[in-house]
Amino acid sequence: MNAGEVILQAENLNVYYGSIHAVKDISFEVRSGEIVTLIGANGAGKSTVLNTVSGLLRSRTGSVMFHGEAIHRTPSHKIVSRGLALVPEGRRIFARMTVKENLEMGAFTRKSGDLNQDFEIIYNYFPRLKERSGQIAGTLSGGEQQMLAMGRALMSRPQVLMLDEPSMGLAPILVEQIFEIIGNLHKDGTTILLVEQNAQAALSVADRGYVLETGKISASGAGRELLESPEIKKAYLGG
């Protein structure tokens, strides 16, 4: 798929937790229809970047632009209604609600639209959720909860889907399934910003990637190029 216009752009982000400088001068962009991944070791600042883009954290400098408009001072709930949806690390589903109720919550920010049509789209990507639609979400397996978190975000009809560590805590077979679904979403034109510790899986599906080390971007390039890079192989792929 040919990448289109730049729809999300972060410039010169510097984020602190108290006196700890977690993200240092980070800039990156996401074009329409791309999967862009941020990879790096635990604690490299990947999730901090996503939380900053989605309005949960503030950068002391720089900007986040979405369709050419500054959103870095916009409250997080308004960012969702603009078309940026975050699937947070650790899923954070509504454990006491049913699968269907969780999905309905995902459409909460929408002004209009036929939810039945959206349910069909979500169930097409995640047949397991259709089977479990009346089940209490907290009783789902880890993999099913991840699928539900992704489905809930997709119910908002996002222009950019942001995924924070979707493979975390999942068995290899489930990781494979989740990345197959990410690949299918990409084929269907969904723009994805992916934060992932599993560099092999992330770079295999990504158009482009950025490597974070201790809060800074240390390398960037096409997903396949980074996958073949001796330095990246040594540091992240056990090569």
Side-chain angles (χ1 to χ4, degrees):
M1 179 182 295
N2 291 329
E5 57 171 339
V6 174
I7 54 173
L8 179 64
Q9 191 164 31
E11 286 286 342
N12 192 33
L13 300 184
N14 282 277
V15 185
Y16 292 77
Y17 294 108
S19 61
I20 297 165
H21 195 177
V23 162
K24 303 162 187 170
D25 300 318
I26 280 184
S27 300
F28 66 91
E29 64 181 34
V30 180
R31 291 177 178 271
S32 176
E34 280 188 316
I35 295 183
V36 172
T37 188
L38 309 178
I39 64 164
N42 198 17
K46 306 183 303 297
S47 294
T48 301
V49 171
L50 271 200
N51 287 333
T52 305
V53 170
S54 45
L56 298 168
L57 293 171
R58 293 271 179 259
S59 174
R60 287 195 191 172
T61 61
S63 63
V64 179
M65 309 292 284
F66 186 50
H67 286 298
E69 287 183 22
I71 59 167
H72 49 281
R73 295 282 177 262
T74 305
S76 55
H77 66 279
K78 290 193 175 167
I79 286 176
V80 176
S81 46
R82 288 248 190 127
L84 277 162
L86 172 66
V87 179
E89 185 182 343
R91 337 255 196 259
R92 298 192 202 158
I93 56 160
F94 301 108
R96 295 182 182 181
M97 295 167 74
T98 66
V99 166
K100 190 172 184 189
E101 286 166 344
N102 267 269
L103 292 175
E104 285 169 346
M105 290 299 286
F108 184 71
T109 58
R110 283 192 12 211
K111 305 285 186 290
S112 62
D114 176 15
L115 284 193
N116 289 326
Q117 186 185 351
D118 291 88
F119 281 125
E120 284 314 306
I121 292 167
I122 301 306
Y123 291 152
N124 193 38
Y125 285 120
F126 308 99
R128 194 82 57 84
L129 296 184
K130 186 170 190 176
E131 293 165 23
R132 306 263 194 275
S133 64
Q135 193 169 321
I136 298 298
T139 65
L140 299 175
S141 71
E144 289 163 348
Q145 288 188 17
Q146 182 62 51
M147 291 174 192
L148 178 56
M150 290 169 68
R152 182 180 62 188
L154 287 167
M155 287 292 286
S156 70
R157 294 188 180 174
Q159 293 173 49
V160 179
L161 180 67
M162 298 185 288
L163 300 169
D164 194 355
E165 302 283 8
S167 78
M168 185 177 275
L170 299 183
I173 184 77
L174 288 169
V175 173
E176 217 172 277
Q177 280 179 25
I178 291 293
F179 274 90
E180 191 178 322
I181 292 162
I182 291 169
N184 289 338
L185 287 166
H186 180 224
K187 276 183 209 147
D188 292 343
T190 304
T191 304
I192 296 170
L193 177 57
L194 169 67
V195 153
E196 183 55 68
Q197 239 178 298
N198 185 334
Q200 176 85 43
L203 292 173
S204 296
V205 296
D207 295 294
R208 291 186 303 109
Y210 296 85
V211 182
L212 268 65
E213 280 181 37
T214 58
K216 290 185 174 178
I217 290 174
S218 61
S220 65
R224 289 284 165 195
E225 279 172 22
L226 292 173
L227 206 49
E228 295 304 317
S229 155
E231 292 85 0
I232 304 298
K233 277 184 177 175
K234 191 176 175 189
Y236 301 103
L237 308 174

